[in-house]
Amino acid sequence: MLGSQSSDSIEYEDQTPSREVWANGVCMKTSEVEAKLDEGNIQEAESSLREGLSLNFEEARALLGRLEYQRGNVEAALHVFDGIDLPAAIQRLQPSFSEKQPSRKGRSRGDSQHAVSQHAASLVLEAIYLKAKSLQKLGRLNDAAHECKRVLDAVEKIFHQGIPDVQVDNRLQDTVCQAVELLPELWKQAGCYHEAMSAYRRALLSQWNLGDDNCSRIQKAFAVFLMHSGVEAGPPSLAAQVDGSYVPKHNLEEAILLLMILVRKFYLGKIVWDPSILEHLTFALSLCGQTSVLAKELEEIMPGVFHRVDRWNTLALCYSTVGQNKAALNLLRKSLHKHEQPDDLTALLLAAKICSEDSHLAAEGVGYAQRAISNAQGRNEHLKGVAIRMLGLCSGKQATISPSDFERSRLQSEALKSLDAAMSLEKNNPDLLFELGMLYAEQRNLNTALRYAKRFIDATGGSLLKGWRLLALILSAQHRFSEAEVVIDAALDETAKWEQGPLLRLKAKLKTSQSLPMGAIETYRYLLALVQAQRKSFGPLRSVSQVGGDGVNEYEVWHGLADLYSRLSHWKDMEVCLGKAKELKPYSAEVLYTEGVMLQGRGQAEEAMSAYITALLVDPSFVPCKILIGALLSKRDSNALPVARSILSDALKIEPTSRMAWYYLGIIHRVDGRIADAADCFQAASMLEEFDPIENFSSIL
């Protein structure tokens, strides 16, 4: 039996004054051997070990090399290890491992021989492993990787069926585990990334009898390598694939699979909690937009693993990313409670951002933004501009539902003031340029809005569609339709085919505004051709959201075409297109409104009124329906006028820049005898018509 009493770990450098080695039941001190090594007499030191412990050449060399390695003499250890003939040692050891299990009568002797063979294998393989470590320390990484690979090749030759779960020498198992972990690291350090990929796959797919900790470390390292190496791995070889099992399509999928396996191991109590696993999983799932999956993983983690406020904040971020703002805000309200962490700047900013997207939550968002500004001090000073920006966005959104003109004007002024202040702190933030452009455009300050839209396109290099759309809408509001069309054509040249939907719809509306209906119809035909091509490319069941946020939306194409035919009074063609749109979205306020327009155009006023009312039941804040209901009621007897006036006033609270709402309200005031009020309404409608875009600016968001 072979061994060393200096340490249980082969990488530990023993500092004790006297070492002992033992083998075959004999123990000897190493002082004499070390003295000969210090004198440079390697042959004599080897002879002393062979004679004192009854060892063969490879075993003596292995012990001697390990002794030099533990003493820190890396180059001397490497010189000793070079003399070991690994293939010869494997050839001698192979038969003893491939022999059949001995009978009961000879079991004791057979077990003893088997143990001796295992310890001999352990010593020789450990020597080659230490040789790889020595080469690594000397910077010879390729050579180190090849030596480490020799260890694993030798193990596979010795154990044809993989390392058994029982009756394996601990030192042999430790050497194998460490070699399996070391090999991919050596290939990475040497810059041989494809070899590293193969080494990771070999480590995880072969039978090495790895412990849970070893296997988990390899899985984590492989996942990180897959995400950050920049080397496309490709699926595992067919021989390694199990029938019916899931095969990852690319690096990111494989990395996510490995990380989720690690999280599952923690749930089962096989490994201790490692927060970096969740960090890597968060990064990977965020890259592919699957934050809902991350939220599910976070919900399954037992309480006490990490702080509940951190869990709430991370879950809120996950939910807000997938549009579940209500759930996200409820979690943030809990984390910002006075008994939790009310001054958490990140949570305050996220809560303010969520509130800035909903006019009914904007007032609450103003409070969060003001608290964020107060807490943006010291090391968080750099976030003050973000907090001021959120205050501006919330104030602007709050202005849209303000009950009075004075209050609306005040809030809009505060919003502009805040965004300008944020711009002074974040001069290179393109989002601020876009938001200022949108705010000025909605207030019909078109020249200033145009300047900010151009600056946004310059800042982003024209890479974002919303900048081109904003510029085109501003030009259309200035009745510069041909210039707007040039902008759309320039944007189309810079845009991928599947992202051209919103731009082409704008182009069709521009054609209509220029009294070119056939050009608009031709544009919609091209859009329908893109829809068909999209179906072939992504499959009939693939939703538009999966193709991309700016993909060709079939519903919007059919609805836009129906709206175009309604302007031309082509009711049969409109009915066909509306039917197609209704198949895709049967419970849409837009579809019901367009159906009402068709019925009203055919002289079926009562049926049209029914369609408008149904649309309002679907979406109570849908302004176009309120306007046409008010218009229909204004044509009835005087008893209906107060109801019509109330509905139109409500529409103007939601959308103060609706020229048609002002126009019909003026008609009602005129019929009711309020001439001065009617004149004011007609004047507002006339002014708004001068700056009316072909599509609401809010459609960009």
Side-chain angles (χ1 to χ4, degrees), residues 21 55 85 102 128 133 144 171 215 254 381 415 440 449 480 489 601:
V21 291
L55 303 175
D85 186 357
I128 305 304
K133 291 289 291 180
R171 185 174 290 280
C215 186
E254 191 167 0
E381 184 78 25
Y440 279 117
R480 296 158 65 180
D489 288 337

Side-chain angles (χ1 to χ4, degrees), residues 585-660:
K585 276 192 181 181
Y587 304 107
S588 166
E590 285 181 326
V591 167
L592 292 165
Y593 162 77
T594 310
E595 185 179 358
V597 170
M598 180 182 68
L599 292 167
Q600 190 174 348
R602 287 174 167 175
Q604 299 171 274
E606 291 303 320
E607 290 82 353
M609 177 69 80
S610 177
Y612 296 146
I613 292 172
T614 306
L616 283 182
L617 292 174
V618 174
D619 183 0
S621 61
F622 193 65
V623 171
C625 280
K626 290 179 180 288
I627 293 171
L628 290 187
I629 288 173
L632 285 173
L633 290 174
S634 68
K635 296 175 182 177
R636 297 187 178 183
D637 56 40
S638 58
N639 292 329
L641 292 180
V643 179
R645 184 166 55 248
S646 175
I647 290 173
L648 289 169
S649 298
D650 189 44
L652 286 170
K653 285 180 182 178
I654 299 170
E655 194 176 316
T657 56
S658 173
R659 66 179 179 87
M660 294 308 297

Side-chain angles (χ1 to χ4, degrees), residues 282 285-286 288-296 317-319 321-322:
T282 301
L285 289 171
S286 300
C288 57
Q290 295 295 326
T291 53
S292 57
V293 177
L294 177 60
K296 184 179 178 182
L317 187 59
C318 292
Y319 287 135
T321 304
V322 294

Side-chain angles (χ1 to χ4, degrees), residues 663-696:
Y663 172 75
Y664 285 117
L665 186 60
I667 288 177
I668 290 170
H669 283 315
R670 187 180 63 185
V671 172
D672 216 17
R674 296 187 178 89
I675 304 301
D677 290 341
D680 289 342
C681 290
F682 288 139
Q683 184 179 6
S686 177
M687 290 175 64
L688 286 169
E689 187 177 14
E690 292 179 20
F691 309 109
D692 201 25
I694 56 172
E695 190 174 282
N696 282 340

Side-chain angles (χ1 to χ4, degrees), residues 255-402:
I256 290 170
L257 184 61
L258 287 166
L259 292 167
M260 293 182 78
I261 289 171
L262 288 170
V263 173
R264 196 66 54 198
K265 281 185 177 180
F266 167 71
Y267 294 156
L268 298 173
K270 293 183 177 181
I271 59 173
V272 296
W273 175 247
D274 180 356
S276 67
I277 293 173
L278 190 61
E279 291 170 6
H280 292 308
L281 184 60
T282 301
F283 173 74
L285 289 171
S286 300
L287 279 180
C288 57
Q290 295 295 326
T291 53
S292 57
V293 177
L294 177 60
K296 184 179 178 182
E297 293 293 330
L298 286 167
E299 288 169 350
E300 291 181 357
I301 295 176
M302 294 295 289
V305 174
F306 56 98
H307 200 283
R308 60 183 178 180
V309 173
D310 293 334
R311 186 200 299 258
W312 291 338
N313 289 344
T314 310
L315 278 171
L317 187 59
C318 292
Y319 287 135
S320 67
T321 304
V322 294
Q324 297 182 31
N325 285 343
K326 186 176 180 182
L329 189 58
N330 286 336
L331 288 165
L332 290 169
R333 285 167 178 158
K334 290 169 67 176
S335 73
L336 292 169
H337 191 271
K338 63 181 180 179
H339 296 309
E340 298 295 345
Q341 294 181 11
D343 298 328
D344 187 318
L345 186 56
T346 306
L348 286 168
L349 290 173
L350 180 57
K353 182 181 183 300
I354 291 170
C355 292
S356 72
E357 297 171 5
D358 188 333
S359 54
H360 297 288
L361 296 171
E364 183 182 352
V366 168
Y368 291 133
Q370 289 171 339
R371 285 163 61 186
I373 293 170
S374 300
N375 287 287
Q377 299 175 1
R379 65 177 185 175
N380 293 322
E381 184 78 25
H382 65 287
L383 291 173
K384 191 168 187 177
V386 181
I388 296 173
R389 174 188 162 208
M390 289 300 117
L391 178 61
L393 293 177
C394 289
S395 298
K397 186 63 74 170
Q398 189 181 1
T400 60
I401 58 167
S402 179

Side-chain angles (χ1 to χ4, degrees), residues 44-102:
E44 291 183 16
E46 181 191 321
S47 298
S48 296
L49 283 175
R50 292 179 66 179
E51 292 171 6
L53 298 175
S54 302
L55 303 175
N56 63 32
F57 174 78
E58 283 81 14
E59 294 163 353
R61 279 265 167 172
L63 260 180
L64 196 61
R66 186 171 71 185
L67 189 59
E68 285 281 42
Y69 184 85
Q70 289 175 338
R71 282 162 26 111
N73 301 327
V74 177
E75 291 188 4
L78 185 59
H79 180 64
V80 174
F81 289 138
D82 281 338
I84 297 176
D85 186 357
L86 181 61
I90 294 170
Q91 198 168 2
R92 283 199 301 273
L93 292 168
Q94 224 170 334
S96 63
F97 284 99
S98 58
E99 286 172 357
K100 294 181 179 179
Q101 186 70 22

Side-chain angles (χ1 to χ4, degrees), residues 1-5 20-28 53 63 119:
M1 189 173 291
L2 305 165
S4 171
Q5 291 183 342
E20 292 181 345
V21 291
W22 52 275
N24 300 323
V26 181
C27 177
M28 68 176 288
L53 298 175
L63 260 180
H119 284 291

